[in-house]
Amino acid sequence: MPANAFNGFTDYGIGIGLRVPHYNHILSEKPTVDWFEIISENFMCDGGRPLKILDQILEQYRVVQHGVSAYFGSAETLNREHLKRLKRLVQRTRTPWLSDHLCWGSVDGRYTHDLLPMPYTMAAAKVTAGKIRQARDFLEVPIAVENVSSYAEFHVSEMTEWEFLSEVVERADCGILLDVNNIYVSSRNHGFNPLDYIDQIPAGRVAQFHIAGHSRYRKYILDTHDHPVIDPVWRLYEHALRRTGPTATLLEWDAHIPSFQEVHREALKARRFMGEVAAHA
Amino acid sequence: MPEAVPAPKRQSRREYLQLQRLMAGAVMRPLSPRGRLQGHWLDGQPMRKVAAGFIKPNDRLTSFERLEIYNRQYWFRLLDCFYDDYPGVRAVLGDRRFARLTEAYLTQHPSVSFSLRNLGRGLLEFLAAQPQWTAPHGALALDMARLEWAQIEAFDNAAKPPLTMDALLEIDPARTRLQLQPHVTLLELAYPVDEFLIQIKRTERLRDEASNAMEAHPSRWRRRLQRRWKPAEVFLAVHRHNDTVFYKRLEPGAFRVLSAFRTKASIADACQQLGAEDGGAPDAGGKVKSWFESWASLGWLCRSGRRG
């Protein structure tokens, strides 16, 4: 049974990100993994090894696409070339849903290749929601948007981040990829209570979770995906799961990547929380 | 009765775009020599004042410092990407000059693609137009950059259905237009940069693995390598076979025939490109046949599209 209208995949369980250092292990050992998340842009090419590897993975595993450059929050229109390539990939992977970030990163056709923070304004919410709808209509696949870690806030913001996220997903009628590590990082960088965030978003729209590690600096926390998940983030995950019910969950580990087994072991820690929530449901 | 506080002015769509232009401009601006956000904005205003105008400070960081995090991340990410994509150009110039070249190039040619894979798309043109970044190694650096861009293209460009030798023997050589696979790049080089790049990668691997002595003197090993690098004309094809990128040296005549296929020529037209040296030799027919056999076995040739 889906936990909510935007989560038809409660049985997806716990996935990990598909990363190059693990290719050989995955293809030779064929470990049991609930699903893999791929970074869409790494496979939006015309040929070669990336697509060959992807096809081999698709023969064995369920794959969900996660993007980093749709930039729904950029004030400019969607990039048609990007969308066309993305659609070709969607048709290849048959991803059940597709996620990208609630952020911007390009302006006047120039790309920063970063996930830049949104001004939390109604103007931004309207533009962003409109673009998510356009993308969903073109791609013909459900879309979930992910909250990003941020290090700056704008004077012009008219609402909190969680109010903005709620405004966008309600207007776009789309799902949420709730990254609890990003909530933790941003809460430390901006001084809000992360439980307020989790308690006030529409839980019925959470289609997927992300969990990850981060790096702590003297004056701020950086979302680096290069460490195990810390206990406070696991507690936030547990809290969020109680609101959403069992939901597809993915561990991100993108730098200083350890062995496949270590990454998978870290991801599977989520199982305990998922099991407890399911038992009390 | 308390005085009514006017509601803050709501952001318009135009202001939303302007905010993004301002922030992107700051994020993509080169770092100061000390690796910080530059102290002054384009119009000479103090950057602290500009940043404070649109970014909130918090109890630990000023607006300037918060903006600086994004500025530094932008450059670290892009420099890292170039560092990985162009080890050969880096070895020719040395790390410091390579970083200056990268910054100059990316400042004048910011990314216009959603993919970092395309970051170096304009580099060859840039190097040709602005030789001051590579002098006195301009020709060598340009050849190396051509080879390294060709590798990127070979890695993930499309592969069309290849023509086998049997299929080639059956087609009308005067009428059927052929073309090279999109992943094949032909290079006419003034330096044997294919050999240099192999040396560089081997040396870097050794440095990574063990040699503290080499690590301590990176410029010394680079100079040692450079002394061995002498000009020599090379005709090269960079291509993909079984999902691995390879280089293949070509005879000048073979290079000319293949170059003709780049413009979708027929076999007969392409063979017209052979000079007297190749075409007039007693064994010319056998040689050309062996070339085609080799190219067919590598899957380099395919039929041209209808517009060919």
Side-chain angles (χ1 to χ4, degrees):
Chain A
M1 273 286 287
N4 64 59
F6 289 86
N7 182 358
F9 305 94
T10 49
D11 65 336
Y12 252 57
I14 297 152
I16 58 175
L18 182 66
R19 300 293 178 264
V20 174
H22 296 158
Y23 283 177
N24 285 342
H25 178 84
I26 296 165
L27 295 175
S28 61
E29 303 298 320
K30 300 185 172 44
T32 303
V33 181
D34 291 342
W35 55 287
F36 283 109
E37 185 183 80
I38 61 165
I39 301 297
S40 299
E41 284 76 2
N42 291 347
F43 300 92
M44 285 160 63
C45 50
D46 295 321
R49 189 162 181 257
L51 292 179
K52 188 163 185 180
I53 296 282
L54 178 61
D55 287 342
Q56 288 175 293
I57 295 288
L58 285 165
E59 284 174 14
Q60 301 277 337
Y61 298 97
R62 299 186 293 194
V63 164
V64 176
Q65 283 180 227
H66 179 56
V68 294
S69 61
Y71 294 146
F72 296 130
S74 284
E76 62 192 6
T77 55
L78 287 166
N79 179 329
R80 302 296 295 179
E81 173 63 16
H82 179 271
L83 278 184
K84 280 186 209 163
R85 285 180 173 269
L86 192 53
K87 185 158 187 170
R88 282 206 290 275
L89 189 62
V90 164
Q91 288 163 343
R92 193 177 200 117
T93 64
R94 299 179 182 208
T95 183
W97 73 91
L98 175 146
S99 61
D100 208 307
H101 299 83
L102 182 54
C103 73
W104 67 281
S106 60
V107 67
D108 299 324
R110 296 173 175 191
Y111 283 74
T112 64
H113 300 284
D114 201 351
L115 308 173
L116 298 176
M118 298 292 298
Y120 306 133
T121 65
M122 201 54 79
K126 285 178 184 169
V127 169
T128 306
K131 290 175 70 177
I132 295 169
R133 279 180 178 274
Q134 280 176 28
R136 183 192 51 216
D137 293 348
F138 181 79
L139 298 170
E140 300 178 291
V141 66
I143 289 179
V145 289
E146 176 183 354
N147 56 298
V148 297
S149 290
S150 62
Y151 317 103
E153 300 165 290
F154 298 102
H155 288 302
V156 75
S157 286
E158 299 156 7
M159 56 190 104
T160 62
E161 184 184 336
W162 53 92
E163 286 168 342
F164 180 76
L165 172 62
S166 305
E167 187 70 35
V168 169
V169 296
E170 295 290 350
R171 281 179 178 274
D173 193 21
C174 71
I176 297 171
L177 191 177
L178 195 65
D179 189 318
V180 285
N181 176 61
N182 288 350
I183 294 177
Y184 179 84
V185 169
S186 294
S187 75
R188 292 292 164 157
N189 289 340
H190 306 314
F192 63 77
N193 183 345
L195 296 178
D196 288 345
Y197 195 126
I198 292 170
D199 289 342
Q200 292 180 52
I201 53 154
R205 289 188 180 274
V206 176
Q208 184 192 330
F209 283 109
H210 266 175
I211 46 176
H214 54 251
S215 298
R216 187 179 289 272
Y217 293 89
R218 196 164 59 85
K219 291 184 174 180
Y220 61 94
I221 298 180
L222 206 56
D223 181 30
T224 45
H225 298 179
D226 59 353
H227 285 83
V229 182
I230 62 169
D231 284 344
V233 172
W234 282 122
R235 286 198 289 276
L236 288 179
Y237 172 66
E238 183 180 18
H239 184 84
L241 263 183
R242 290 191 192 286
R243 286 205 69 215
T244 61
T247 299
T249 298
L250 180 119
L251 172 76
E252 294 181 294
W253 204 315
D254 296 320
H256 308 123
I257 301 175
S259 70
F260 174 87
Q261 292 90 336
E262 192 176 331
V263 173
H264 199 203
R265 203 164 37 242
E266 182 68 15
L268 291 179
K269 289 179 185 171
R271 226 177 229 170
R272 180 165 70 86
F273 303 103
M274 196 105 80
E276 284 172 11
V277 167
H280 289 92
Chain B
M1 217 174 130
E3 202 173 320
V5 179
K9 186 179 168 295
R10 288 215 157 178
Q11 187 187 42
S12 67
R13 282 185 75 144
R14 188 180 161 75
E15 288 164 339
Y16 174 43
L17 173 62
Q18 284 169 341
L19 176 71
Q20 293 191 341
R21 283 186 174 143
L22 173 61
M23 177 139 177
V27 166
M28 296 164 87
R29 225 167 154 221
L31 296 169
S32 74
R34 300 183 66 185
R36 307 274 322 255
L37 180 63
Q38 289 195 39
H40 290 84
W41 186 229
L42 301 167
D43 61 2
Q45 278 195 78
M47 198 61 213
R48 290 188 183 281
K49 189 177 164 195
V50 174
F54 70 107
I55 289 179
K56 286 183 189 173
N58 68 8
D59 55 352
R60 286 153 286 157
L61 294 165
T62 63
S63 307
F64 180 96
E65 288 168 328
R66 297 183 107 182
L67 183 57
E68 185 177 72
I69 293 172
Y70 288 100
N71 183 212
R72 289 164 64 97
Q73 284 197 144
Y74 171 79
W75 282 103
F76 293 166
R77 179 179 298 108
L78 268 56
L79 291 172
D80 259 5
C81 181
F82 243 57
Y83 192 90
D84 290 342
D85 284 352
Y86 292 95
V89 178
R90 180 159 46 86
V92 171
L93 298 178
D95 285 355
R96 210 171 290 171
R97 285 196 73 196
F98 179 76
R100 282 201 292 269
L101 160 71
T102 305
E103 183 186 287
Y105 166 68
L106 291 172
T107 303
Q108 293 176 45
H109 297 264
S111 173
V112 291
S113 166
F114 60 86
S115 173
L116 282 168
R117 178 263 195 217
N118 295 323
L119 209 53
R121 192 176 283 285
L123 183 64
L124 303 181
E125 204 176 308
F126 177 82
L127 292 179
Q130 301 192 30
Q132 70 271 26
W133 300 105
T134 50
H137 307 295
L140 174 59
L142 186 58
D143 271 1
M144 189 64 88
R146 292 169 70 204
L147 174 60
E148 294 187 310
W149 177 250
Q151 287 187 121
I152 292 170
E153 295 272 79
F155 179 69
D156 63 3
N157 268 4
K160 297 184 173 180
L163 284 169
T164 61
M165 194 60 197
D166 286 346
L168 281 171
L169 290 170
E170 284 173 15
I171 61 178
D172 178 349
R175 300 187 60 175
T176 309
R177 291 177 183 277
L178 301 184
Q179 68 178 109
L180 282 178
Q181 291 284 2
H183 60 76
V184 178
T185 301
L186 303 175
L187 298 171
E188 185 176 356
L189 302 161
Y191 285 84
V193 284
D194 51 339
E195 281 179 5
F196 300 165
L197 192 55
I198 290 167
Q199 286 172 16
I200 291 161
K201 287 184 174 174
R202 191 181 301 139
T203 311
E204 289 215 326
R205 215 167 24 245
L206 287 172
R207 288 174 66 208
D208 286 347
E209 282 170 8
S211 175
N212 289 331
M214 287 167 96
E215 187 62 39
H217 302 287
S219 56
R220 195 177 296 168
W221 74 261
R222 187 168 56 81
R223 279 199 296 273
R224 202 177 304 144
L225 279 179
Q226 278 182 349
R227 276 198 292 273
R228 290 191 225 150
W229 295 345
K230 306 288 181 212
E233 191 174 50
V234 170
F235 297 94
L236 197 70
V238 183
H239 66 111
R240 185 173 74 234
H241 190 64
N242 291 334
D243 298 312
T244 302
V245 174
F246 292 99
Y247 323 134
K248 182 175 172 59
R249 289 218 176 164
L250 302 168
E251 293 177 51
F255 181 86
R256 284 194 289 275
V257 174
L258 286 168
S259 297
F261 292 137
R262 196 33 96 215
T263 54
K264 301 178 182 175
S266 67
I267 294 177
D269 287 344
C271 289
Q272 291 293 317
Q273 305 303 314
L274 289 171
E277 190 184 318
D278 301 297
D283 61 339
K287 188 194 249 185
V288 172
K289 183 166 177 276
S290 75
W291 289 344
F292 274 89
E293 282 169 347
S294 167
W295 301 336
S297 71
L298 292 167
W300 285 4
L301 300 174
C302 49
R303 277 181 199 276
S304 164
R306 201 173 282 174
R307 285 164 186 262

